[in-house]
Amino acid sequence: MPDHPPPAPELTAADIRHIARLACLSPTDAQIADYQTNLAAVLGYVGHLRTLDLAGVAPLATPLPTTGPMDPDEPGQMLPPATLLKMAPATDGPFIAVPKVLGESEGGGGA
Amino acid sequence: MSVLQTALQIAHAVRTGAQSASGTVQQALARIDAENPAINALTQVFHAEALARAERIDAQVALGQDPGPLAGVPVAIKDNICTTLGMTTCASRMLAEYRSPFDATAVEKLLAAGAVIIAKANLDEFAMGSSTENSIHGPTRNPHDHTRVPGGSSGGSAAAVAAGLVPVALGSDTGGSIRQPASHCGVVGLKPTYGRVSRYGLVAYASSLDQIGPLTRTVADAGLVASVIAGHDRRDSTCAPTTADDITATLSTLDNVPKGLVVGVPRQARGQGNSPGVAQALARTAEAFVTAGARVVEIDLPHAGAAIAAYYLIATAEASSNLARLDGIRYGHRATLAPGEGLGALYCKSRSEGFSPEVQRRIMLGTYALSSGYYDAYYGTALKVRRLIKQDYDQAFANGAHVVVMPAAPGPAFEIGSKTADPLAMYLEDIYTVGVNLAGLPAISVPVATETIRGKALPIGMQLIAPPLGEGILLRAAALLERTGA
């Protein structure tokens, strides 16, 4: 890795808002300003990797030499619905309650 | 329970009837009540439940039954590992009131071996941190100097063991989160081979890197706990189809000096960023191995300098995916909506309220690395570097090294608050540990020295690294280092 990092990429407030929308987050103006400096600094640091010679190197997503053994496809134990419903923040009878899905106003979130 | 009693000693005494599990747990609880408020290592303590379980273990012994190899041993569980006892908060507002409906496989195995779950331990939120400062429960303080961090993210586990509150704690290690706090607190921390211990019930941070392991006061205790929690689990598809028999067999040979041991010292471990105490400890560790009859050779890990960058791209990319499940719908924090707001707003508001700024920062970084137009430049590149880092270790072992030694951290514990404003400075704390996770290797931190700063002797741990599934030689080399010191 070189001693002097490449310049940090410019991240505009619009860039940050775009990433936040993808991540389903609603950053405050202060957070956006923080990301513009700290996130850019981290991206500048990790940008070192692109200076390495990676021609012909295959990506490695997991250190495991092989995939795990497959289990037979048969029903197993599962948690009772009542137990799962108990964890939910809001319920309506045997269902998890959610707010209105259709017809949400623009800017209501990044779903 | 004597403060200095090990898990091996407790279990032997309880199994033979020389000591009661109830008395052991009562003493541990008394010590926790007296000492924990000053360091905030444990965030939930299960007084009644632990005593009731200890009484059941005593009843088993009275009936002539063997409760198991961890009979009556009080254990603390890092609070990102699911327990039906208490809550599993991940130190996050998002899961502040989450009660797991199941025990993690590692917890099930501890219970089956006779252990007593006595408390949950503090951590950096969702295990994202190196200092245990970023927690809804407040920071944990280093037992050796209360103005300093215990390391992280398993800082509560390390501090609890170091303060003598428990002889054993479980932690999790995604980029050094067992080994670095073990170093800062002066205890032993073992990160097993990726896939050696089931991740079922470990709240996922980065699924291709996460691994559960023990923090203890001795190498023998770390081996004992590893022999209990390791082994295949069909509920974790990445769990290696192996048993723990080799680790169990190693436990009786820890006192023997491994014959013909070859220890590799990477020239990259002698970095300019090492504190004077760490530099001296590394040199003395190499000397100690030579004195003990081992051959010490210099090795090269040419891509070690790229490990932090690759790690933070891969870990945050996986985190952005794993934490997407926390959306305020099925469990966890749900925001209150204003009139007219719908499902999309619920997702965003719940996540923004539930996650701390540091967790949000990592989600943002990972999302950026995975986003269209940047995937190949960042995440794809990091995966290629990961292969090079693994190949470096493969080559070192193929060239004859049985274990590799390097510091667990570049310096002793730092002051609380000194790195919180600079995320990159905090990330660089993991410079010696993240490569092991990228390569999936087993590694252990053993306390070998202290460095005195402002009149306080701060512990320094040395890290040993072995080939995949090499926990046997790793534990034997660590036991040798533990005996000889640095």
Side-chain angles (χ1 to χ4, degrees), chain A residues 5-111:
Chain A
E10 291 249 345
L11 286 176
T12 65
D15 293 333
I16 298 294
R17 286 197 184 90
H18 172 66
I19 303 165
R21 191 177 60 79
L22 295 176
C24 281
L25 292 170
S26 308
T28 62
D29 289 345
Q31 280 179 302
I32 289 173
D34 171 76
Y35 291 141
Q36 282 185 269
T37 50
N38 280 326
L39 205 58
V42 174
L43 287 171
Y45 178 78
V46 300
H48 283 312
L49 297 183
R50 283 180 284 168
T51 65
L52 297 172
D53 180 7
L54 298 173
V57 179
L60 179 69
T62 170
L64 286 175
T66 57
T67 55
M70 299 293 286
D71 280 334
D73 185 14
E74 55 193 29
Q77 276 191 323
M78 58 179 288
L79 292 167
T83 303
L84 297 170
L85 282 170
K86 218 168 136 187
M87 294 192 295
T91 55
D92 181 2
F95 305 107
I96 293 174
V98 296
K100 187 177 177 184
V101 177
L102 299 175
E104 186 179 0
S105 61
E106 193 66 29

Side-chain angles (χ1 to χ4, degrees), chain B residues 371-404:
Chain B
S371 63
S372 175
Y374 299 100
Y375 180 97
D376 287 336
Y378 287 101
Y379 182 65
T381 299
L383 291 184
K384 292 178 181 177
V385 175
R386 182 181 196 171
R387 181 174 295 281
L388 295 178
I389 289 167
K390 183 174 186 304
Q391 286 175 348
D392 288 348
Y393 277 105
D394 291 345
Q395 191 63 49
F397 295 128
N399 287 346
H402 296 116
V403 293
V404 171

